[in-house]
Amino acid sequence: MPIRPVFPALWITWGAWFAMVFGVVGLIRVSWGAWRRHRWRARGWCVHCGYNLGGVVDPCPECGHASA
Ligand SMILES: [Zn+2]
């Protein structure tokens, strides 16, 4: 019966946990950004900074981002 924990197995377990947590966090961040850009574009706002372009100004006077 081993007294000390089996370190390679422990590292693999921790590695799997970290990969899963960071994967989920990354997925949420990416989907949140995509949803936000979609919402801002639908409202006629700059997709980069959220400035209200009024649907005519291009590029954005606030940050210089060209939406077209
Ligand atoms: Zn902008």
Short mmCIF file of all heavy atoms in Angstrom, two decimals:
data_model
loop_
_atom_site.label_atom_id
_atom_site.label_comp_id
_atom_site.label_asym_id
_atom_site.label_seq_id
_atom_site.Cartn_x
_atom_site.Cartn_y
_atom_site.Cartn_z
N MET A 1 0.85 -1.20 0.00
CA MET A 1 0.00 0.00 0.00
C MET A 1 0.88 1.25 0.00
O MET A 1 1.72 1.41 0.89
CB MET A 1 -0.89 -0.01 1.26
CG MET A 1 -1.79 1.22 1.35
SD MET A 1 -2.87 1.14 2.78
CE MET A 1 -3.51 2.81 2.78
N PRO A 2 0.76 2.09 -1.00
CA PRO A 2 1.62 3.28 -1.07
C PRO A 2 1.23 4.32 -0.03
O PRO A 2 0.06 4.62 0.15
CB PRO A 2 1.41 3.79 -2.49
CG PRO A 2 0.06 3.30 -2.87
CD PRO A 2 -0.15 2.01 -2.12
N ILE A 3 2.26 4.83 0.64
CA ILE A 3 2.01 5.86 1.66
C ILE A 3 1.90 7.23 0.99
O ILE A 3 1.01 8.02 1.29
CB ILE A 3 3.14 5.84 2.70
CG1 ILE A 3 3.17 4.47 3.40
CG2 ILE A 3 2.93 6.96 3.73
CD1 ILE A 3 4.43 4.25 4.22
N ARG A 4 2.86 7.48 0.04
CA ARG A 4 2.85 8.76 -0.67
C ARG A 4 1.88 8.69 -1.84
O ARG A 4 1.67 7.62 -2.41
CB ARG A 4 4.25 9.06 -1.22
CG ARG A 4 5.26 9.41 -0.13
CD ARG A 4 6.68 9.04 -0.56
NE ARG A 4 7.03 9.69 -1.82
CZ ARG A 4 7.62 10.89 -1.90
NH1 ARG A 4 7.92 11.55 -0.81
NH2 ARG A 4 7.92 11.42 -3.06
N PRO A 5 1.28 9.79 -2.23
CA PRO A 5 0.41 9.77 -3.43
C PRO A 5 1.22 9.49 -4.68
O PRO A 5 2.40 9.82 -4.76
CB PRO A 5 -0.19 11.18 -3.46
CG PRO A 5 0.67 12.00 -2.56
CD PRO A 5 1.29 11.08 -1.55
N VAL A 6 0.61 8.87 -5.64
CA VAL A 6 1.28 8.55 -6.90
C VAL A 6 1.30 9.81 -7.75
O VAL A 6 0.28 10.22 -8.32
CB VAL A 6 0.54 7.40 -7.62
CG1 VAL A 6 1.30 7.00 -8.88
CG2 VAL A 6 0.36 6.22 -6.69
N PHE A 7 2.48 10.46 -7.80
CA PHE A 7 2.53 11.80 -8.36
C PHE A 7 2.20 11.90 -9.85
O PHE A 7 1.51 12.84 -10.24
CB PHE A 7 3.89 12.44 -8.06
CG PHE A 7 3.94 12.97 -6.65
CD1 PHE A 7 4.74 12.38 -5.70
CD2 PHE A 7 3.17 14.07 -6.31
CE1 PHE A 7 4.77 12.87 -4.40
CE2 PHE A 7 3.20 14.56 -5.00
CZ PHE A 7 4.00 13.96 -4.06
N PRO A 8 2.68 10.99 -10.69
CA PRO A 8 2.28 11.14 -12.11
C PRO A 8 0.77 11.12 -12.30
O PRO A 8 0.21 11.92 -13.05
CB PRO A 8 2.94 9.94 -12.79
CG PRO A 8 4.10 9.62 -11.92
CD PRO A 8 3.66 9.91 -10.51
N ALA A 9 0.08 10.23 -11.59
CA ALA A 9 -1.38 10.16 -11.71
C ALA A 9 -2.02 11.43 -11.19
O ALA A 9 -2.99 11.95 -11.75
CB ALA A 9 -1.90 8.94 -10.93
N LEU A 10 -1.45 11.96 -10.09
CA LEU A 10 -1.97 13.20 -9.52
C LEU A 10 -1.81 14.34 -10.51
O LEU A 10 -2.73 15.15 -10.70
CB LEU A 10 -1.22 13.50 -8.22
CG LEU A 10 -1.85 14.53 -7.29
CD1 LEU A 10 -3.15 14.00 -6.72
CD2 LEU A 10 -0.89 14.86 -6.16
N TRP A 11 -0.64 14.40 -11.17
CA TRP A 11 -0.41 15.48 -12.13
C TRP A 11 -1.36 15.37 -13.31
O TRP A 11 -1.86 16.37 -13.81
CB TRP A 11 1.03 15.43 -12.63
CG TRP A 11 2.03 15.79 -11.57
CD1 TRP A 11 1.78 16.50 -10.43
CD2 TRP A 11 3.42 15.47 -11.54
NE1 TRP A 11 2.93 16.62 -9.70
CE2 TRP A 11 3.95 16.01 -10.35
CE3 TRP A 11 4.26 14.78 -12.41
CZ2 TRP A 11 5.30 15.88 -10.03
CZ3 TRP A 11 5.60 14.65 -12.08
CH2 TRP A 11 6.12 15.19 -10.90
N ILE A 12 -1.57 14.13 -13.75
CA ILE A 12 -2.49 13.93 -14.89
C ILE A 12 -3.89 14.39 -14.51
O ILE A 12 -4.58 15.06 -15.27
CB ILE A 12 -2.47 12.44 -15.33
CG1 ILE A 12 -1.12 12.10 -15.98
CG2 ILE A 12 -3.63 12.14 -16.28
CD1 ILE A 12 -0.86 10.61 -16.11
N THR A 13 -4.30 14.04 -13.27
CA THR A 13 -5.62 14.46 -12.80
C THR A 13 -5.73 15.98 -12.75
O THR A 13 -6.69 16.58 -13.24
CB THR A 13 -5.88 13.87 -11.41
OG1 THR A 13 -5.65 12.47 -11.46
CG2 THR A 13 -7.30 14.15 -10.97
N TRP A 14 -4.70 16.62 -12.16
CA TRP A 14 -4.70 18.09 -12.08
C TRP A 14 -4.66 18.71 -13.46
O TRP A 14 -5.35 19.69 -13.73
CB TRP A 14 -3.51 18.56 -11.24
CG TRP A 14 -3.84 18.58 -9.78
CD1 TRP A 14 -3.54 17.62 -8.86
CD2 TRP A 14 -4.56 19.60 -9.08
NE1 TRP A 14 -4.02 17.99 -7.63
CE2 TRP A 14 -4.65 19.19 -7.73
CE3 TRP A 14 -5.14 20.81 -9.47
CZ2 TRP A 14 -5.31 19.97 -6.76
CZ3 TRP A 14 -5.78 21.58 -8.50
CH2 TRP A 14 -5.86 21.16 -7.17
N GLY A 15 -3.84 18.11 -14.35
CA GLY A 15 -3.76 18.63 -15.71
C GLY A 15 -5.09 18.55 -16.43
O GLY A 15 -5.50 19.50 -17.11
N ALA A 16 -5.80 17.43 -16.24
CA ALA A 16 -7.11 17.29 -16.87
C ALA A 16 -8.09 18.32 -16.31
O ALA A 16 -8.87 18.92 -17.05
CB ALA A 16 -7.63 15.87 -16.63
N TRP A 17 -8.03 18.54 -14.99
CA TRP A 17 -8.92 19.52 -14.37
C TRP A 17 -8.64 20.92 -14.89
O TRP A 17 -9.56 21.66 -15.27
CB TRP A 17 -8.74 19.50 -12.84
CG TRP A 17 -9.68 18.54 -12.19
CD1 TRP A 17 -9.39 17.30 -11.69
CD2 TRP A 17 -11.09 18.75 -11.98
NE1 TRP A 17 -10.53 16.73 -11.18
CE2 TRP A 17 -11.58 17.58 -11.33
CE3 TRP A 17 -11.96 19.78 -12.27
CZ2 TRP A 17 -12.92 17.46 -10.98
CZ3 TRP A 17 -13.30 19.66 -11.91
CH2 TRP A 17 -13.76 18.51 -11.27
N PHE A 18 -7.34 21.28 -14.95
CA PHE A 18 -6.99 22.62 -15.41
C PHE A 18 -7.38 22.80 -16.88
O PHE A 18 -7.91 23.85 -17.26
CB PHE A 18 -5.48 22.86 -15.24
CG PHE A 18 -5.15 23.41 -13.89
CD1 PHE A 18 -4.51 22.63 -12.94
CD2 PHE A 18 -5.48 24.73 -13.57
CE1 PHE A 18 -4.20 23.14 -11.69
CE2 PHE A 18 -5.18 25.25 -12.32
CZ PHE A 18 -4.53 24.45 -11.37
N ALA A 19 -7.15 21.78 -17.70
CA ALA A 19 -7.50 21.87 -19.11
C ALA A 19 -9.01 22.07 -19.27
O ALA A 19 -9.48 22.88 -20.07
CB ALA A 19 -7.06 20.61 -19.85
N MET A 20 -9.78 21.35 -18.46
CA MET A 20 -11.24 21.44 -18.55
C MET A 20 -11.71 22.83 -18.10
O MET A 20 -12.52 23.47 -18.78
CB MET A 20 -11.87 20.36 -17.67
CG MET A 20 -13.33 20.12 -17.96
SD MET A 20 -13.98 18.73 -17.02
CE MET A 20 -14.07 19.43 -15.40
N VAL A 21 -11.17 23.29 -16.96
CA VAL A 21 -11.60 24.60 -16.43
C VAL A 21 -11.23 25.71 -17.42
O VAL A 21 -12.08 26.55 -17.75
CB VAL A 21 -10.94 24.84 -15.05
CG1 VAL A 21 -11.12 26.28 -14.63
CG2 VAL A 21 -11.55 23.91 -14.02
N PHE A 22 -9.98 25.70 -17.91
CA PHE A 22 -9.57 26.75 -18.83
C PHE A 22 -10.31 26.64 -20.16
O PHE A 22 -10.61 27.64 -20.80
CB PHE A 22 -8.06 26.71 -19.06
CG PHE A 22 -7.30 27.40 -17.97
CD1 PHE A 22 -6.66 26.69 -16.98
CD2 PHE A 22 -7.24 28.80 -17.94
CE1 PHE A 22 -5.97 27.32 -15.96
CE2 PHE A 22 -6.56 29.44 -16.92
CZ PHE A 22 -5.92 28.70 -15.93
N GLY A 23 -10.62 25.42 -20.57
CA GLY A 23 -11.38 25.22 -21.80
C GLY A 23 -12.78 25.81 -21.68
O GLY A 23 -13.24 26.51 -22.58
N VAL A 24 -13.43 25.55 -20.56
CA VAL A 24 -14.79 26.07 -20.34
C VAL A 24 -14.75 27.58 -20.24
O VAL A 24 -15.58 28.29 -20.85
CB VAL A 24 -15.40 25.43 -19.07
CG1 VAL A 24 -16.67 26.16 -18.66
CG2 VAL A 24 -15.68 23.96 -19.31
N VAL A 25 -13.78 28.12 -19.49
CA VAL A 25 -13.67 29.58 -19.34
C VAL A 25 -13.40 30.23 -20.70
O VAL A 25 -14.03 31.24 -21.06
CB VAL A 25 -12.55 29.92 -18.34
CG1 VAL A 25 -12.23 31.41 -18.38
CG2 VAL A 25 -12.97 29.53 -16.94
N GLY A 26 -12.50 29.63 -21.48
CA GLY A 26 -12.21 30.17 -22.81
C GLY A 26 -13.42 30.14 -23.72
O GLY A 26 -13.69 31.09 -24.45
N LEU A 27 -14.18 29.05 -23.65
CA LEU A 27 -15.37 28.91 -24.48
C LEU A 27 -16.41 29.97 -24.10
O LEU A 27 -17.03 30.60 -24.97
CB LEU A 27 -15.96 27.51 -24.28
CG LEU A 27 -16.91 27.01 -25.39
CD1 LEU A 27 -16.11 26.76 -26.65
CD2 LEU A 27 -17.60 25.74 -24.93
N ILE A 28 -16.58 30.21 -22.80
CA ILE A 28 -17.54 31.23 -22.35
C ILE A 28 -17.09 32.61 -22.80
O ILE A 28 -17.90 33.41 -23.28
CB ILE A 28 -17.68 31.16 -20.80
CG1 ILE A 28 -18.43 29.90 -20.39
CG2 ILE A 28 -18.39 32.41 -20.28
CD1 ILE A 28 -18.38 29.62 -18.91
N ARG A 29 -15.79 32.89 -22.69
CA ARG A 29 -15.28 34.20 -23.11
C ARG A 29 -15.49 34.40 -24.60
O ARG A 29 -15.90 35.48 -25.03
CB ARG A 29 -13.79 34.32 -22.77
CG ARG A 29 -13.53 34.54 -21.30
CD ARG A 29 -12.08 34.87 -21.07
NE ARG A 29 -11.67 36.05 -21.81
CZ ARG A 29 -10.43 36.47 -21.91
NH1 ARG A 29 -9.47 35.82 -21.31
NH2 ARG A 29 -10.13 37.54 -22.60
N VAL A 30 -15.17 33.39 -25.41
CA VAL A 30 -15.31 33.52 -26.86
C VAL A 30 -16.77 33.70 -27.25
O VAL A 30 -17.11 34.58 -28.05
CB VAL A 30 -14.70 32.28 -27.55
CG1 VAL A 30 -15.10 32.23 -29.01
CG2 VAL A 30 -13.18 32.30 -27.42
N SER A 31 -17.65 32.89 -26.66
CA SER A 31 -19.07 32.99 -27.02
C SER A 31 -19.65 34.31 -26.53
O SER A 31 -20.49 34.91 -27.20
CB SER A 31 -19.83 31.81 -26.43
OG SER A 31 -19.68 31.77 -25.04
N TRP A 32 -19.20 34.79 -25.36
CA TRP A 32 -19.67 36.07 -24.85
C TRP A 32 -19.26 37.20 -25.81
O TRP A 32 -20.06 38.07 -26.13
CB TRP A 32 -19.08 36.33 -23.46
CG TRP A 32 -19.34 37.71 -22.96
CD1 TRP A 32 -18.47 38.76 -22.99
CD2 TRP A 32 -20.55 38.20 -22.38
NE1 TRP A 32 -19.06 39.88 -22.45
CE2 TRP A 32 -20.34 39.56 -22.07
CE3 TRP A 32 -21.78 37.61 -22.09
CZ2 TRP A 32 -21.33 40.35 -21.49
CZ3 TRP A 32 -22.76 38.41 -21.51
CH2 TRP A 32 -22.52 39.74 -21.21
N GLY A 33 -18.00 37.18 -26.28
CA GLY A 33 -17.53 38.20 -27.21
C GLY A 33 -18.30 38.17 -28.52
O GLY A 33 -18.68 39.21 -29.05
N ALA A 34 -18.56 36.97 -29.04
CA ALA A 34 -19.29 36.84 -30.30
C ALA A 34 -20.72 37.36 -30.14
O ALA A 34 -21.23 38.06 -31.01
CB ALA A 34 -19.30 35.37 -30.73
N TRP A 35 -21.35 37.02 -29.01
CA TRP A 35 -22.72 37.48 -28.76
C TRP A 35 -22.76 39.00 -28.63
O TRP A 35 -23.66 39.66 -29.16
CB TRP A 35 -23.24 36.81 -27.49
CG TRP A 35 -24.60 37.28 -27.10
CD1 TRP A 35 -25.78 36.94 -27.71
CD2 TRP A 35 -24.95 38.18 -26.06
NE1 TRP A 35 -26.83 37.57 -27.09
CE2 TRP A 35 -26.35 38.33 -26.08
CE3 TRP A 35 -24.20 38.87 -25.10
CZ2 TRP A 35 -27.01 39.16 -25.17
CZ3 TRP A 35 -24.87 39.68 -24.21
CH2 TRP A 35 -26.25 39.82 -24.25
N ARG A 36 -21.77 39.57 -27.93
CA ARG A 36 -21.71 41.02 -27.73
C ARG A 36 -21.53 41.74 -29.07
O ARG A 36 -22.21 42.72 -29.34
CB ARG A 36 -20.55 41.36 -26.80
CG ARG A 36 -20.56 42.78 -26.31
CD ARG A 36 -19.26 43.10 -25.60
NE ARG A 36 -18.13 42.97 -26.50
CZ ARG A 36 -16.86 43.17 -26.15
NH1 ARG A 36 -16.56 43.44 -24.92
NH2 ARG A 36 -15.90 43.06 -27.04
N ARG A 37 -20.60 41.23 -29.91
CA ARG A 37 -20.38 41.85 -31.22
C ARG A 37 -21.64 41.78 -32.07
O ARG A 37 -21.99 42.73 -32.76
CB ARG A 37 -19.21 41.15 -31.94
CG ARG A 37 -17.86 41.61 -31.45
CD ARG A 37 -16.76 41.14 -32.39
NE ARG A 37 -16.72 39.69 -32.51
CZ ARG A 37 -16.07 38.91 -31.66
NH1 ARG A 37 -15.39 39.43 -30.67
NH2 ARG A 37 -16.07 37.62 -31.83
N HIS A 38 -22.30 40.61 -32.02
CA HIS A 38 -23.53 40.44 -32.79
C HIS A 38 -24.59 41.45 -32.35
O HIS A 38 -25.26 42.08 -33.16
CB HIS A 38 -24.05 39.01 -32.60
CG HIS A 38 -25.40 38.77 -33.22
ND1 HIS A 38 -25.57 38.56 -34.58
CD2 HIS A 38 -26.63 38.73 -32.68
CE1 HIS A 38 -26.85 38.40 -34.82
NE2 HIS A 38 -27.52 38.50 -33.70
N ARG A 39 -24.74 41.64 -31.03
CA ARG A 39 -25.73 42.55 -30.48
C ARG A 39 -25.40 43.99 -30.85
O ARG A 39 -26.27 44.75 -31.25
CB ARG A 39 -25.75 42.40 -28.95
CG ARG A 39 -26.92 43.07 -28.27
CD ARG A 39 -26.79 42.95 -26.78
NE ARG A 39 -25.46 43.37 -26.34
CZ ARG A 39 -25.09 43.49 -25.07
NH1 ARG A 39 -25.92 43.18 -24.13
NH2 ARG A 39 -23.88 43.87 -24.75
N TRP A 40 -24.11 44.37 -30.73
CA TRP A 40 -23.68 45.74 -31.06
C TRP A 40 -23.87 46.02 -32.54
O TRP A 40 -24.29 47.10 -32.94
CB TRP A 40 -22.22 45.94 -30.66
CG TRP A 40 -22.03 46.11 -29.18
CD1 TRP A 40 -23.00 46.05 -28.23
CD2 TRP A 40 -20.79 46.35 -28.49
NE1 TRP A 40 -22.44 46.24 -26.99
CE2 TRP A 40 -21.10 46.42 -27.12
CE3 TRP A 40 -19.47 46.49 -28.91
CZ2 TRP A 40 -20.12 46.65 -26.16
CZ3 TRP A 40 -18.50 46.72 -27.96
CH2 TRP A 40 -18.81 46.81 -26.60
N ARG A 41 -23.54 45.03 -33.38
CA ARG A 41 -23.70 45.22 -34.82
C ARG A 41 -25.18 45.41 -35.17
O ARG A 41 -25.54 46.23 -36.00
CB ARG A 41 -23.12 44.02 -35.57
CG ARG A 41 -22.96 44.25 -37.06
CD ARG A 41 -22.56 42.98 -37.78
NE ARG A 41 -21.29 42.44 -37.34
CZ ARG A 41 -20.11 42.82 -37.84
NH1 ARG A 41 -20.04 43.71 -38.80
NH2 ARG A 41 -19.00 42.29 -37.40
N ALA A 42 -26.04 44.62 -34.51
CA ALA A 42 -27.48 44.71 -34.77
C ALA A 42 -28.03 46.08 -34.36
O ALA A 42 -28.98 46.58 -34.96
CB ALA A 42 -28.21 43.59 -34.02
N ARG A 43 -27.43 46.69 -33.34
CA ARG A 43 -27.89 47.99 -32.88
C ARG A 43 -27.24 49.14 -33.65
O ARG A 43 -27.57 50.30 -33.40
CB ARG A 43 -27.56 48.16 -31.40
CG ARG A 43 -28.41 47.29 -30.48
CD ARG A 43 -28.06 47.54 -29.04
NE ARG A 43 -28.86 46.71 -28.15
CZ ARG A 43 -28.76 46.74 -26.82
NH1 ARG A 43 -27.90 47.54 -26.24
NH2 ARG A 43 -29.50 45.97 -26.07
N GLY A 44 -26.29 48.86 -34.54
CA GLY A 44 -25.61 49.91 -35.28
C GLY A 44 -24.48 50.54 -34.50
O GLY A 44 -24.10 51.68 -34.77
N TRP A 45 -23.94 49.80 -33.52
CA TRP A 45 -22.82 50.30 -32.74
C TRP A 45 -21.52 49.74 -33.28
O TRP A 45 -21.51 48.71 -33.96
CB TRP A 45 -22.96 49.89 -31.27
CG TRP A 45 -24.14 50.48 -30.56
CD1 TRP A 45 -25.04 51.38 -31.07
CD2 TRP A 45 -24.58 50.20 -29.23
NE1 TRP A 45 -25.99 51.67 -30.13
CE2 TRP A 45 -25.74 50.98 -28.99
CE3 TRP A 45 -24.09 49.38 -28.23
CZ2 TRP A 45 -26.41 50.94 -27.77
CZ3 TRP A 45 -24.76 49.34 -27.02
CH2 TRP A 45 -25.91 50.12 -26.80
N CYS A 46 -20.42 50.42 -32.97
CA CYS A 46 -19.10 49.92 -33.32
C CYS A 46 -18.88 48.59 -32.61
O CYS A 46 -19.06 48.49 -31.39
CB CYS A 46 -18.03 50.93 -32.90
SG CYS A 46 -16.35 50.33 -33.10
N VAL A 47 -18.45 47.56 -33.37
CA VAL A 47 -18.26 46.24 -32.78
C VAL A 47 -16.99 46.19 -31.94
O VAL A 47 -16.78 45.25 -31.18
CB VAL A 47 -18.20 45.14 -33.87
CG1 VAL A 47 -19.54 45.03 -34.57
CG2 VAL A 47 -17.09 45.42 -34.86
N HIS A 48 -16.15 47.22 -32.08
CA HIS A 48 -14.89 47.23 -31.35
C HIS A 48 -15.01 47.90 -29.99
O HIS A 48 -14.49 47.41 -29.01
CB HIS A 48 -13.81 47.90 -32.21
CG HIS A 48 -12.43 47.74 -31.66
ND1 HIS A 48 -11.74 48.76 -31.09
CD2 HIS A 48 -11.62 46.65 -31.60
CE1 HIS A 48 -10.55 48.32 -30.68
NE2 HIS A 48 -10.46 47.05 -30.98
N CYS A 49 -15.69 49.07 -29.94
CA CYS A 49 -15.74 49.83 -28.69
C CYS A 49 -17.16 50.10 -28.22
O CYS A 49 -17.35 50.57 -27.09
CB CYS A 49 -14.99 51.16 -28.85
SG CYS A 49 -15.78 52.32 -29.96
N GLY A 50 -18.18 49.82 -29.06
CA GLY A 50 -19.56 50.02 -28.64
C GLY A 50 -20.08 51.42 -28.87
O GLY A 50 -21.19 51.75 -28.44
N TYR A 51 -19.30 52.26 -29.56
CA TYR A 51 -19.75 53.62 -29.84
C TYR A 51 -20.93 53.60 -30.81
O TYR A 51 -20.93 52.83 -31.78
CB TYR A 51 -18.58 54.41 -30.46
CG TYR A 51 -18.88 55.86 -30.72
CD1 TYR A 51 -18.80 56.80 -29.70
CD2 TYR A 51 -19.23 56.30 -32.00
CE1 TYR A 51 -19.06 58.14 -29.93
CE2 TYR A 51 -19.49 57.63 -32.25
CZ TYR A 51 -19.41 58.55 -31.22
OH TYR A 51 -19.67 59.88 -31.46
N ASN A 52 -21.93 54.45 -30.55
CA ASN A 52 -23.12 54.49 -31.41
C ASN A 52 -22.79 55.20 -32.71
O ASN A 52 -22.62 56.42 -32.75
CB ASN A 52 -24.24 55.21 -30.66
CG ASN A 52 -25.57 55.07 -31.39
OD1 ASN A 52 -25.63 54.62 -32.54
ND2 ASN A 52 -26.64 55.45 -30.72
N LEU A 53 -22.71 54.44 -33.79
CA LEU A 53 -22.33 55.00 -35.09
C LEU A 53 -23.51 55.63 -35.81
O LEU A 53 -23.33 56.37 -36.77
CB LEU A 53 -21.73 53.91 -35.97
CG LEU A 53 -20.45 53.24 -35.44
CD1 LEU A 53 -20.10 52.05 -36.32
CD2 LEU A 53 -19.31 54.22 -35.39
N GLY A 54 -24.71 55.32 -35.40
CA GLY A 54 -25.89 55.84 -36.08
C GLY A 54 -26.09 55.21 -37.45
O GLY A 54 -26.91 55.67 -38.23
N GLY A 55 -25.33 54.18 -37.77
CA GLY A 55 -25.50 53.45 -39.01
C GLY A 55 -24.87 54.08 -40.23
O GLY A 55 -24.95 53.54 -41.31
N VAL A 56 -24.21 55.25 -40.09
CA VAL A 56 -23.67 55.93 -41.26
C VAL A 56 -22.16 56.16 -41.15
O VAL A 56 -21.47 56.17 -42.16
CB VAL A 56 -24.37 57.28 -41.51
CG1 VAL A 56 -25.78 57.05 -42.06
CG2 VAL A 56 -24.41 58.12 -40.26
N VAL A 57 -21.64 56.37 -39.95
CA VAL A 57 -20.23 56.74 -39.79
C VAL A 57 -19.36 55.49 -39.89
O VAL A 57 -19.58 54.51 -39.21
CB VAL A 57 -20.00 57.43 -38.43
CG1 VAL A 57 -18.56 57.90 -38.33
CG2 VAL A 57 -20.97 58.58 -38.25
N ASP A 58 -18.38 55.57 -40.80
CA ASP A 58 -17.43 54.47 -40.95
C ASP A 58 -16.12 55.03 -41.48
O ASP A 58 -16.15 55.74 -42.49
CB ASP A 58 -18.00 53.42 -41.91
CG ASP A 58 -17.19 52.13 -41.87
OD1 ASP A 58 -17.47 51.32 -41.00
OD2 ASP A 58 -16.28 51.98 -42.71
N PRO A 59 -14.99 54.84 -40.91
CA PRO A 59 -14.78 54.04 -39.70
C PRO A 59 -15.23 54.76 -38.43
O PRO A 59 -15.61 55.92 -38.47
CB PRO A 59 -13.25 53.85 -39.71
CG PRO A 59 -12.73 55.06 -40.37
CD PRO A 59 -13.74 55.40 -41.44
N CYS A 60 -15.16 54.02 -37.33
CA CYS A 60 -15.62 54.54 -36.04
C CYS A 60 -14.80 55.77 -35.63
O CYS A 60 -13.58 55.72 -35.62
CB CYS A 60 -15.46 53.43 -35.00
SG CYS A 60 -15.83 53.96 -33.31
N PRO A 61 -15.46 56.91 -35.30
CA PRO A 61 -14.73 58.09 -34.86
C PRO A 61 -14.12 57.92 -33.47
O PRO A 61 -13.24 58.69 -33.09
CB PRO A 61 -15.80 59.18 -34.87
CG PRO A 61 -17.08 58.46 -34.66
CD PRO A 61 -16.93 57.12 -35.31
N GLU A 62 -14.59 56.95 -32.72
CA GLU A 62 -14.11 56.77 -31.36
C GLU A 62 -12.82 55.97 -31.32
O GLU A 62 -11.89 56.32 -30.62
CB GLU A 62 -15.20 56.07 -30.53
CG GLU A 62 -14.94 56.06 -29.05
CD GLU A 62 -15.14 57.42 -28.39
OE1 GLU A 62 -15.66 58.32 -29.06
OE2 GLU A 62 -14.77 57.55 -27.20
N CYS A 63 -12.76 54.89 -32.07
CA CYS A 63 -11.58 54.03 -32.00
C CYS A 63 -10.94 53.78 -33.36
O CYS A 63 -9.88 53.18 -33.44
CB CYS A 63 -11.96 52.68 -31.37
SG CYS A 63 -13.02 51.65 -32.39
N GLY A 64 -11.58 54.24 -34.45
CA GLY A 64 -10.98 54.08 -35.78
C GLY A 64 -11.21 52.72 -36.39
O GLY A 64 -10.65 52.42 -37.44
N HIS A 65 -12.04 51.89 -35.76
CA HIS A 65 -12.30 50.56 -36.29
C HIS A 65 -13.26 50.65 -37.48
O HIS A 65 -14.32 51.25 -37.37
CB HIS A 65 -12.89 49.68 -35.19
CG HIS A 65 -13.19 48.28 -35.64
ND1 HIS A 65 -12.21 47.32 -35.75
CD2 HIS A 65 -14.34 47.69 -36.03
CE1 HIS A 65 -12.75 46.20 -36.17
NE2 HIS A 65 -14.05 46.39 -36.35
N ALA A 66 -12.86 50.06 -38.61
CA ALA A 66 -13.72 50.04 -39.80
C ALA A 66 -14.60 48.81 -39.77
O ALA A 66 -14.11 47.68 -39.75
CB ALA A 66 -12.87 50.04 -41.06
N SER A 67 -15.93 49.01 -39.73
CA SER A 67 -16.85 47.87 -39.63
C SER A 67 -17.04 47.19 -40.99
O SER A 67 -17.38 46.03 -41.05
CB SER A 67 -18.19 48.34 -39.08
OG SER A 67 -18.78 49.29 -39.95
N ALA A 68 -16.84 47.93 -42.08
CA ALA A 68 -17.07 47.37 -43.41
C ALA A 68 -15.90 46.50 -43.84
O ALA A 68 -14.76 46.80 -43.50
CB ALA A 68 -17.29 48.49 -44.43
ZN ZN B 1 -15.20 52.03 -32.19
#
